[in-house]
Amino acid sequence: MIRRASIVTNARISVRPKRLWRTAGLLLLLSLLPLVRAPDASASAAASPSGLEIVALGVRGGIVDGDLSAFLIHPSGDFRSLMCDAGTLGNGLLVATKRGNLGGRTPDQTLGSDIKAFLITHAHLDHVAGMLIAATDYPGKAVYALPSTNEVLGEDYLNWAAWPNFSDRGKAPRLGSLHLRDMAPGVATPVAGTAMTATAWPLEHGGVQSTAFLVQAGNSAVACLGDHGPDGASGGERGHQLWRALAPFVRSGQLRTIITEASYSDPRPESQLFGHMTPKYLIASLRDLAEEVGRPNALLGVTVIVSHVKYPVGGEAAYRKLILRQLGDGRDLGVRFIVPEQGDRWSSP
Ligand SMILES: [Zn+2]
């Protein structure tokens, strides 16, 4: 919003008196646009060059409770951050600090002042535990989610039985540390306190509604997908609909990083997926995206961060190797597959 304000200021300097009223009307319209606009894939929409920084604070789909789905995202050179899921928070910050990947910030600075908001893909415990536990000491953050996810957060956790009600809705007294904000699918929403917007699309996750978020700042975008299964009998078409929506951003070069999941290795019967992906299904899904983008080498230069692997305890290294090897079947797509470790950091152009 700071960027938009500066554009408006510059425009006013060059305006001629006879156009003043028309310009005033246009400025009013511009000031309202962030509330209603769909995400914009045209490169000219960006106000300045940028990039997005991603830090993996938690990468697993189980079983080790200090390393569960959590990705810190902020524009390059601007520490005002959001979390895409927060299964693990405090421990992830300690690990990232140890590895020198928190950009010189302390865990307390990051948790206290840098993280302004959470984007929650779905309310499963392994995606929200870190957020709920940190709410005791780090108040004043927004929680963006589809209405069904916020509903579960309110009813099943923040109910004074499972956990105190740190939110600003539901059972009184409301402590108000977490401001729950319902998102409308497909509508770019400014993330309060940051220079980023987020757009949500629903995903199917074994009978639970999950979410994919597109996070945008300037010319850069990162997609962060929650748990989901393949399209088909149980999954419907939501994966395909997501790629239809995101294909223009890949085509324009804005979307260069996709965080997604492959919980299990292949082979695995469809009846045992429980709303998750394997490398085989992920590769098939990315082929669908490539088709939507609709040009040769459609995904060349795109990084796919493969999260939520359900490692057997103690067998992490071998299982990680196996997943990476199976992802090799998609090497013709031209994407760079990363199976991350906790504390990893990337810059997305
Ligand atoms: Zn889940």
Side-chain angles (χ1 to χ4, degrees):
M1 291 315 96
I2 289 165
R3 288 200 188 105
R4 189 171 293 284
S6 67
I7 293 169
V8 167
T9 307
N10 293 340
R12 192 181 290 150
I13 290 166
S14 65
V15 83
R16 290 180 203 165
K18 64 181 177 182
R19 289 192 187 155
L20 196 60
W21 285 108
R22 203 172 53 184
T23 307
L26 183 66
L27 292 180
L28 179 65
L29 187 67
L30 276 175
S31 71
L32 293 174
L33 272 178
L35 300 174
V36 297
R37 72 200 166 112
D40 196 332
S42 68
S44 61
S48 68
S50 60
L52 285 161
E53 304 289 314
I54 306 167
V55 186
L57 299 186
V59 302
R60 302 180 189 217
I63 298 291
V64 175
D65 57 356
D67 186 8
L68 301 172
S69 298
F71 289 87
L72 178 89
I73 302 173
H74 66 81
S76 303
D78 175 358
F79 285 113
R80 293 172 303 162
S81 309
L82 60 80
M83 291 295 310
C84 181
D85 283 338
T88 290
L89 199 48
N91 191 54
L93 289 168
L94 294 173
V95 172
T97 306
K98 250 186 220 163
R99 295 189 51 196
N101 280 346
L102 212 53
R105 306 289 283 172
T106 66
D108 190 54
Q109 284 172 324
T110 308
L111 205 43
S113 61
D114 295 348
I115 296 172
K116 308 292 188 191
F118 298 95
L119 309 181
I120 299 298
T121 62
H122 64 301
H124 278 165
L125 188 59
D126 56 334
H127 294 254
V128 300
M131 172 183 79
L132 295 174
I133 287 165
T136 55
D137 287 76
Y138 294 94
K141 305 192 188 300
V143 179
Y144 295 92
L146 290 175
S148 64
T149 301
N150 275 336
E151 205 177 296
V152 177
L153 284 175
E155 286 179 7
D156 294 344
Y157 298 113
L158 301 162
N159 56 14
W160 286 109
W163 202 233
N165 185 3
F166 289 105
S167 83
D168 53 1
R169 51 170 97 153
K171 193 170 182 185
R174 303 174 191 107
L175 301 175
S177 307
L178 298 171
H179 309 295
L180 305 193
R181 309 216 171 149
D182 291 341
M183 299 177 82
V187 178
T189 306
V191 178
T194 77
M196 296 173 278
T197 64
T199 311
W201 286 273
L203 292 173
E204 170 61 32
H205 173 38
V208 169
Q209 186 177 72
S210 182
T211 312
F213 294 106
L214 182 72
V215 177
Q216 291 176 272
N219 256 335
S220 301
V222 167
C224 180
L225 279 61
D227 298 357
H228 64 285
D231 281 355
S234 58
E237 283 257 284
R238 283 183 165 170
H240 181 66
Q241 285 159 2
L242 173 69
W243 294 147
R244 281 191 83 160
L246 294 188
F249 297 91
V250 176
R251 219 176 287 129
S252 70
Q254 288 181 67
L255 178 54
R256 304 280 292 276
T257 304
I258 297 170
I259 303 167
T260 186
E261 75 130 287
S263 293
Y264 307 109
S265 61
D266 290 304
R268 195 168 176 98
E270 210 164 324
S271 62
Q272 297 296 304
L273 288 174
F274 309 116
H276 289 294
M277 303 288 263
T278 68
K280 180 184 100 175
Y281 289 105
L282 171 56
I283 290 164
S285 171
L286 290 170
R287 292 198 194 289
D288 185 29
L289 171 60
E291 210 161 290
E292 278 301 318
V293 174
R295 64 177 183 211
N297 299 318
L299 302 187
L300 197 65
V302 171
T303 295
V304 177
I305 297 171
V306 182
S307 162
H308 207 268
V309 177
K310 290 176 176 288
Y311 294 102
V313 181
E316 292 83 352
Y319 203 68
R320 188 165 175 270
K321 243 188 217 170
L322 174 66
I323 296 276
L324 271 167
R325 197 175 69 232
Q326 294 184 343
L327 288 168
D329 290 346
R331 67 173 66 83
D332 59 296
L333 282 164
V335 306
R336 179 170 67 127
F337 285 112
I338 293 176
V339 179
E341 292 183 270
Q342 190 175 33
D344 281 350
R345 181 190 185 95
W346 310 271
S347 297
S348 185

